[in-house]
């Protein structure tokens, strides 16, 4: 299991920088377009206006999509980091032989195409009534975000001496207190970093949301697709610009958190 | 430390018929030990002999397959580790790296709901006991290995447990530091009156530190007793070979009576006092004669317990001189003599006569290994 930890953090690092690169390139095109005066997309844009930003911030429709996305992303971050950390703990510290199988299942969503997952979840959620609901979105996004939490926490947990917890227990701490007071603080930066990843993954996740969104509940990416089909005004680049800023801030935050544990 | 005598006194421990199996490996196989209150007991044995498993069963990290453990008057066999109120020191220090030294030492008190001011006062006191007063603000990464282990010791005694368990606490330290810490732990033991169980695979550490030593092999106790007894009259061949250096000579028992007559591979016949026999012996059987290298004397032709050895090597090591030789059947014989001995007549290849004082002879049943 040891080597896969390093491969994991390598893959994660590659992923992070690839994401950053793909964010940087469109900046050059998208950001200027969001300030264009005409109500259709053009590049290079003509004139300069903040009208599209104003429109986004004043539109109830956009706001409700945004607040749904924030809510879902926030809950996803919490669920994924709690479940992911617990699962990592079980895999790293457990003696079970199922650990490897468990690990494969957990990181599976990275390999499975999102569209396949989306169709499956859609059919399943339809029958149990979770489609188009906040719990439905959170559940689906948690599945997608778990691998990232597992990656960020596995490496950190592997470096924490298991006998520290035994020492805490010999001092009178219960098993859970030993984890909460000793192990968790030592891996916390990585857990937070995993939660930030989960937040961003949920916040701009389009494919699963596309299937799960109902008439009333639409996430921001879903709402953007709709607008692209119908209007395609520079409000899309305006929102995209805002998303880019958010992603950069959050991913940098995650990166800083992770480099903190290394010291 | 001003402590209530009743609280600080150690507890007695009774381990009865303890067994622990991992699958089909029998890690501990029917161990009985009675430890009196305030005693210092060392568990000594080769790797895999079950020392850690016994200690972990005492600490509550392993639950035995059979048998029970009574500490004081309480049966703790299946009580979880955090409810046992025992002090424990691990091999690798196990200080919490994100807490200051003071917080580390105060941790057990925090778990027991002691209020902050008292907690810190008592933690300071415990740090002073291990001579680390004033180190409370530091973090473990800023301390040397020996200091870290002393902090671990302070953390283990801060709540005044009646028993202190230690699993090879000094094996990560270098030799000088290890000797300092041995004295430190002895001093603490005397000062606190606590019962100590100390696991080690270093025999000299066990012999110097403990009141009694339990020698383990394959999950069974081979012998338990004071150091001197273990060294001078090992109960069996394993202990004889495990503790210190020993010469083993395969002999044949010729007759058993007032004295035991044996014949040596080098041709001599000895009439050994019957008190030398650790195991009961019968005429005609094979036996092993054991004698410590430092009890061999050079010369003494014609003495009651003299024999001939063909020398192979003479190693001069300052204070001592090591002679290595062989008997006709190939048995290696080692003798340690004072460095100043006059050996001008001895050279490798020569035949030397060694003699042995009768009280240094031990006889065991069985063939030489
Ligand atoms: N968790 C476990 N699972 C399976 N076997 C174990 C386990 N713990 C110990 N054993 C086995 O039990 C036996 C005793 O082990 P133990 O750790 O008590 O030995 P030890 O005397 O402490 O040795 P060392 O000096 O190497 O620390 C060994 O054969 C070991 O392989
Ligand atoms: Mg051990």
């Amino acid at each position: 299991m040891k080597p896969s930890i390093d491969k994991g953090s390598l893959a994660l690092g590659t992923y992070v920088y690839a994401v950053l690169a793909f964010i940087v390139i469109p900046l050059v095109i998208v950001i200027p377009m969001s300030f264009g005066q005409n109500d259709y997309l053009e590049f290079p844009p003509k004139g300069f206006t903040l009208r599209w930003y104003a429109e986004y911030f004043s539109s109830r429709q956009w706001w409700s999509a945004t607040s749904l996305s924030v809510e879902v992303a926030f809950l996803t971050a919490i669920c994924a980091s709690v479940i992911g950390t617990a699962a990592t703990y079980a895999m790293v510290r457990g003696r079970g032989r199922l650990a490897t199988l468990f690990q494969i299942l957990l990181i599976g969503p990275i390999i499975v195409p999102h569209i396949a997952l989306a169709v499956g979840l859609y059919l399943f959620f339809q029958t149990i009534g979770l489609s188009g609901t906040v719990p439905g979105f959170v559940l689906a996004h948690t599945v997608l975000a778990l691998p990232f939490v597992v990656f960020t926490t596995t490496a950190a947990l592997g470096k924490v001496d298991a006998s520290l917890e035994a020492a805490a227990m010999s001092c009178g701490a219960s098993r859970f207190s030993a984890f909460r007071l000793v192990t968790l603080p030592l891996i916390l930066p990585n857990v937070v970093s995993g939660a930030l990843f989960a937040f961003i993954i949920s916040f701009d996740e389009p494919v699963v949301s596309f299937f799960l969104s109902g008439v009333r509940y639409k996430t921001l990416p879903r709402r953007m697709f709709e607008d692209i089909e119908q209007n395609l005004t520079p409000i899309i680049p305006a929102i995209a610009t805002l998303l880019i800023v958010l992603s950069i801030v959050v991913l940098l935050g995650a990166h800083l958190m992770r480099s903190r544990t290394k010291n | 430390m001003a402590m209530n005598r009743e609280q600080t006194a150690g507890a007695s421990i009774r381990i009865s018929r303890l067994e622990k199996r991992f699958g089909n490996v029998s890690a501990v196989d029917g161990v009985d030990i009675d430890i009196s209150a305030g005693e210092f007991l060392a568990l000594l044995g080769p790797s895999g002999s079950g020392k850690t498993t016994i200690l972990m069963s005492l600490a509550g990290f392993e639950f035995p397959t059979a048998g029970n453990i009574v500490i004081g008057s309480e049966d703790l066999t299946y009580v979880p580790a955090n409810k046992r109120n025992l002090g424990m020191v691990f091999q690798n220090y196990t200080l919490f790296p994100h807490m200051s030294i003071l917080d580390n030492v105060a941790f057990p008190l925090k778990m027991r709901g002691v209020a902050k001011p008292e907690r810190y006062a008592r933690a300071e006191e415990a740090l002073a006991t291990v001579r680390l007063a004033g180190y409370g603000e530091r973090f473990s990464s800023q301390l040397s290995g020996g200091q870290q282990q002393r902090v671990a010791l302070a953390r283990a005694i801060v709540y005044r447990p009646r028993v202190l368990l230690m699993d090879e606490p000094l094996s990560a330290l270098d030799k000088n530091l290890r000797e300092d810490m041995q004295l430190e732990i002895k001093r603490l033991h005397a000062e606190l009156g606590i019962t100590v169980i100390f696991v080690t695979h270093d025999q000299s550490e066990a012999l110097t530190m403990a009141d009694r030593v339990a020698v383990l092999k394959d999950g069974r106790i081979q012998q338990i007793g004071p150091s001197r007894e273990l060294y001078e009259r090992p109960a069996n061949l394993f202990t004889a070979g495990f503790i210190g250096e020993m010469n083993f000579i395969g002999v044949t028992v010729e007759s058993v009576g007032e004295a035991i007559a044996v014949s040596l591979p080098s041709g001599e016949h000895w009439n050994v006092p019957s008190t030398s026999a650790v195991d009961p012996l019968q005429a005609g059987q094979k036996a092993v004669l054991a004698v410590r290298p430092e009890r061999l004397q050079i010369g003494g032709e014609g003495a009651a317990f003299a024999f001939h050895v063909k020398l192979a090597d003479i190693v001069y090591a300052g204070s001592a001189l090591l002679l290595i030789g062989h008997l006709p059947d190939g048995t290696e014989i080692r003798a340690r003599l004072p460095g100043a001995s006059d050996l001008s007549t001895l050279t490798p290849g020569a035949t030397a006569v060694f003699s042995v004082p009768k009280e240094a002879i031990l006889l065991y049943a069985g063939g030489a290994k």
Side-chain angles (χ1 to χ4, degrees), chain A residues 31 34-35 49-58 237-238 241-242:
Chain A
I31 297 177
S34 69
F35 299 107
T49 176
L50 291 176
R51 175 183 153 203
W52 306 110
Y53 288 89
E55 204 161 291
Y56 166 73
F57 282 110
S58 58
T241 303
L242 293 172

Side-chain angles (χ1 to χ4, degrees), chain A residues 32-189:
Chain A
M33 281 205 301
S34 69
F35 299 107
Q37 263 167 349
N38 292 328
D39 56 5
Y40 49 87
L41 291 182
E42 60 178 345
F43 191 84
K46 294 203 174 60
F48 179 87
T49 176
L50 291 176
R51 175 183 153 203
W52 306 110
Y53 288 89
E55 204 161 291
Y56 166 73
F57 282 110
S58 58
S59 151
R60 275 198 50 194
Q61 268 192 340
W62 282 114
W63 257 129
S64 76
T66 307
S67 68
L68 176 68
S69 277
V70 169
E71 186 185 351
V72 167
F74 184 74
L75 292 173
T76 299
I78 291 174
C79 292
S81 52
V82 170
I83 298 171
T85 306
T88 305
Y89 185 79
M91 286 188 300
V92 176
R93 290 288 150 82
R95 294 181 192 171
R97 264 194 232 145
L98 291 176
T100 317
L101 179 69
F102 197 46
Q103 194 173 29
I104 291 169
L105 283 177
L106 265 178
I107 61 172
I110 285 192
I111 307 155
V112 177
H114 284 192
I115 189 106
L117 205 69
V119 173
L121 284 172
Y122 171 71
L123 293 174
F124 180 54
F125 281 6
Q126 278 291 331
T127 57
I128 61 170
L130 274 181
S131 196
T133 65
V134 172
F137 284 122
V138 173
L139 212 59
H141 286 173
T142 298
V143 169
L144 295 179
L146 271 179
F148 297 90
V149 178
V150 171
F151 280 152
T152 52
T153 51
T154 301
L157 193 60
K159 286 184 202 133
V160 178
D161 184 354
S163 59
L164 284 182
E165 267 175 56
M169 286 171 71
S170 79
C171 290
S174 66
R175 184 166 275 285
F176 183 71
S177 312
F179 173 77
R180 187 173 60 86
L181 297 172
V182 175
T183 309
L184 187 59
L186 292 173
I187 63 168
L188 193 63

